[in-house]
Structures are given as C-alpha cells and as structure tokens.
C-alpha cells in the first residue's frame, strides 16, 4: 500500500508542477503580447512626433520673410525654403515621394525630379497650405495617423500648435 501512495504522491507532485508550468507560460505569453502592442503604439507615436518636429524645425530655421512657400512639385505639395547664398538663389524642397519624406536642396532654377532628393524618413503623405499667415501642415507617417501642425510664419518667432 505504501508503494501506491508513493507513486500517487509523485504523480500529484508532477501534475502540480505541470499546472504551475502551464500557468507560468500563459502569464509570460500574455505579458509578451502586451509588451509588443505597447512598443508598436509607442513607435507610431514617436514617428508622428518626429515628422511633425522635423517640419517645425525646418520652418523655424527659415529666418527671412517670404522664405517659406508651398508649391506644386512632383504631383503633390512641397514645402519650399528659399535662400540666397553668395548672391545665388537656392531652394530646399520637402515633399513625399514613393513612401518617403524627401528633402531636395538645389539652385532655384534647377529642374530636378522628385526622385533626386534625399530620403529623410518614411511617410505616406504631406499636405501643406498657407492660410491667413499660418502654414497648415498635415503629415502622415508610414504606419500612423495624420498629424496636423499650424505654424506662424513670423520670422524666427513661429509658434506651433499640434492638433
């Protein structure tokens, strides 16, 4: 009779260990899934903030009145920054092309294609519009929601508001 009790006790201990291991595995898998979802959400929010902050910084760097404009370039909107360097006119265009936010710096009269720019970061679209002294920008990062930014076009004092 003692042998049966010893086997039964060993079986119960093994069963208890199995239940504990299954519970531990469930907790670990649930935690890993939650962590992955939080990481993805934070990455999307970071991408949105980075795009908006990049555009805001570029507008604030344009110190001269009339240096910032919205123009058609490559079938979409482009944010253009004009400047004179040693008496020659140059323009920096920021636009979206083939899933990328692009930046193109060239002479003002140069006829370049959108593919000639440098990739800055992944983005779906950029919409820009000037209204009543405000620059209205809507940037959609690669896998995120559109972020709208309103910038005042006062030289060096542009405050921005994110919706």
């Amino acid at each position: 009779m003692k042998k049966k009790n010893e086997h039964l006790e060993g079986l119960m201990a093994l069963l208890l260990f199995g239940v504990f291991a299954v519970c531990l595995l469930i907790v670990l898998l649930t935690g890993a899934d939650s962590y992955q979802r939080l990481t993805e959400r934070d990455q999307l929010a970071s991408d949105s903030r980075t795009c908006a902050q990049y555009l805001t910084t570029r507008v604030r760097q344009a110190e001269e009145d009339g240096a910032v404009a919205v123009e058609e370039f490559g079938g979409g909107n482009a944010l253009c920054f004009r400047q004179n360097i040693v008496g020659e006119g140059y323009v920096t265009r920021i636009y979206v092309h083939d899933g990328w936010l692009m930046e193109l710096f060239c002479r003002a009269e140069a006829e370049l294609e959108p593919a000639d720019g440098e990739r800055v970061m992944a983005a779906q679209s950029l919409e820009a519009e000037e209204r009543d002294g405000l620059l209205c920008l809507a940037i959609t990062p690669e896998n995120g929601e559109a972020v709208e930014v309103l910038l005042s076009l006062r030289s060096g004092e542009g405050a921005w508001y994110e919706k």
Side-chain angles (χ1 to χ4, degrees), residues 10-148:
L11 185 61
M12 290 298 281
L14 186 60
L15 183 62
L16 185 61
F17 177 74
V19 169
F20 175 74
V22 168
C23 289
L24 182 63
L25 185 62
I26 289 171
V27 168
L28 287 175
L29 290 176
T30 303
D33 183 52
S34 296
Y35 178 76
Q36 182 180 7
R37 282 185 282 134
L38 286 171
T39 303
E40 288 172 0
R41 186 194 69 191
D42 288 348
Q43 184 63 42
L44 290 175
S46 175
D47 290 348
S48 297
R49 285 190 309 270
T50 302
C51 284
Q53 196 62 36
Y54 172 76
L55 293 173
T56 300
T57 301
R58 293 296 288 150
V59 170
R60 287 181 178 170
Q61 288 175 345
E63 295 179 5
E64 301 172 19
D65 288 334
V68 180
V70 177
E71 296 177 0
E72 177 77 19
F73 183 69
N77 284 339
L79 195 55
C80 299
F81 305 98
R82 301 196 180 287
Q83 59 186 348
N84 285 320
I85 300 174
V86 192
E88 292 190 44
Y90 288 87
V91 64
T92 302
R93 290 183 178 93
I94 297 176
Y95 54 95
V96 172
H97 176 71
D98 284 343
W100 290 92
L101 185 66
M102 308 281 280
E103 183 172 324
L104 177 63
F105 176 76
C106 62
R107 287 188 177 194
E109 66 275 358
E111 294 184 24
L112 298 174
E113 297 296 319
D116 296 328
E118 295 290 324
R119 291 179 176 179
V120 176
M121 64 187 73
Q124 293 177 13
S125 67
L126 171 65
E127 296 177 26
E129 173 184 13
E130 289 181 73
R131 278 186 288 180
D132 302 323
L134 291 176
L135 182 61
C136 305
L137 303 172
I139 182 78
T140 306
E142 183 179 22
N143 291 314
E145 297 180 19
V147 176
E148 294 182 20

